[in-house]
Amino acid sequence: MEIRQWDGLLLGTGKRIGIVAARFNGRIVERLLEGAVDCLSRHGVDKDRIEIARVPGAWEIPLALAEFARQERFEALVALGLVLKGETAHFEHVAGECSRGCATVSRDHSMPLGFGVLTCSTREQAEERAGGKLGNKGWDAALAALEMADLVAKLRAVDRAGKEVR
């Protein structure tokens, strides 16, 4: 007997993707958003099937994601933002609750979610990750969302006996 392996493909055709993008640190987040939309478009997602919700900052991202997930119109979601470390504990609270909230939305709604919220010590680090020498984490988050959307669809199309039901 062979081991059965499941893999998600990077197929966007016919998929509807919801993106939540923070306005705070907008110059960097806009570059993450451009990367995410470019990725989705290049992988077959029609631009009229991409919806973007703008929120004030990273703290508000999970609530908007939860509303998108509740609507059950999307195959996957993408979270985009930037939290810069400052001189107070504010960074830890916002970054931690944002990432925890995103994970909770994904788990509670069984919704693939690409996490593209940067948590950086400096603006230079953020720029390197928003289209600089370290790539574009918005692109990476969108790519992960597409792959997981395909994988989840395949796993949902199997019955308890392991047979495809579609």
Side-chain angles (χ1 to χ4, degrees), residues 21-94:
R23 286 193 305 270
F24 198 74
N25 292 310
R27 190 173 61 78
I28 297 289
V29 177
E30 199 59 34
R31 289 170 47 195
L32 295 171
L33 180 59
E34 289 168 6
V37 170
D38 185 42
C39 174
L40 295 172
S41 296
R42 288 177 188 250
H43 287 89
V45 179
D46 291 331
K47 288 195 176 185
D48 65 347
R49 296 183 66 80
I50 299 170
E51 296 185 32
I52 301 165
R54 302 282 186 157
V55 295
W59 182 265
E60 293 81 17
I61 290 172
L63 179 58
L65 288 170
E67 286 303 310
F68 268 169
R70 182 189 59 75
Q71 295 171 6
E72 298 181 351
R73 298 184 302 119
F74 301 96
E75 281 74 29
L77 302 173
V78 178
L80 302 174
L82 167 61
V83 185
L84 283 175
K85 189 169 181 91
E87 296 178 8
T88 68
H90 186 255
F91 170 86
E92 284 80 12
H93 296 295
V94 173

Side-chain angles (χ1 to χ4, degrees), residues 97-162:
E97 289 305 314
C98 177
S99 56
R100 221 174 341 272
C102 291
T104 298
V105 169
S106 180
R107 185 178 50 252
D108 288 355
H109 294 274
S110 296
M111 173 68 66
L113 193 151
F115 187 72
V117 179
L118 302 180
T119 55
C120 299
S121 295
T122 66
R123 186 162 300 283
E124 292 75 30
Q125 288 175 344
E127 289 173 358
E128 290 172 355
R129 289 159 177 78
K133 65 182 177 182
L134 295 176
N136 187 307
K137 300 306 177 187
W139 172 287
D140 295 346
L143 202 63
L146 278 180
E147 182 177 342
M148 287 304 297
D150 187 64
L151 177 62
V152 167
K154 288 176 181 175
L155 293 174
R156 287 181 180 158
V158 176
D159 67 14
R160 287 179 172 226

